[in-house]
Amino acid sequence: MRRRFVVVFIIFLIIVSISVFFDVYRLPKGKPLQPPSYQYPLGTYIDGSNMININAIAIVNTLMFGGLVGVGEVTLALTYGIIAGAYGGIVRSVMVRFIDALNSLPRLPLLLSIALFYGVPTGNSLKANFFLTILIVMFTGWNIYARQITELVYTSSVGKSTRRILGKVDIKLVFRSVMRQGLNLLVPSSIDGIATYTGMGVIGGVGDPNYPTLTTLLNTASHLLYDWWMFLVPAVFRGIVLVLLLVLADEIRRL
């Protein structure tokens, strides 16, 4: 196992563990919008909550959003890609054209349009259920990876020996041939989920106050420029988390 993977994974695990701890353990509140001090190292939030707790909650929710989207997208992509690639023929042609049609749609405008149906406008933002947003992001992103899985199965030796033999496809063999690719796509799809939710939050103000993310904190602080700890610290944490995820994605591909 590569040393860099171990080091990055340990750092990532430490950040997640600390975030989960301060998500559960609440520190004392103070006056709203207090700058960093000895008593409040990261300052206080607009309601007086300790920013250590707020940032921890945001990190956990951000990773939960990305993780659930990633697992969902990869699962759908694997299922669809295995069927399309293994059977081939007209089945593959129709399924691939369907994927291509989905890939041609402008994803972010589509997501914002869907969010308008279940979201609740609150002035400059759109209150949208956290888990429902995960589902719509998932169901509009799996097709990107399904195309890769389809071609991988179709061009593999397993795919060549099983396509067009309806009812005699060895799903276990096909699944083994793409399991590695599915693992490689898990972290990138999680990053895609986080990035897409960020786009929805920045452009359309989409978010759930019950599940604040790092993007939610940045949007909240957009009109509080003098309260630098409100946006600088979440931005730094967001950068660290994404860099660690990107490095982990690269390292997993090399394992």
Side-chain angles (χ1 to χ4, degrees), residues 187 191 241-251 253:
V187 176
I191 297 173
V241 169
L242 288 179
V243 168
L244 289 174
L245 287 175
L246 287 169
V247 174
L248 282 175
D250 289 337
E251 291 303 310
R253 281 196 293 267

Side-chain angles (χ1 to χ4, degrees), residues 198-234:
T198 297
M200 295 176 68
V202 172
I203 297 175
V206 178
D208 189 339
N210 295 319
Y211 294 90
T213 63
L214 293 172
T215 302
T216 306
L217 298 186
L218 295 178
N219 288 340
T220 302
S222 61
H223 61 285
L224 300 170
L225 296 181
Y226 291 103
D227 303 314
W228 56 269
W229 63 93
M230 288 281 294
F231 60 86
L232 182 59
V233 176

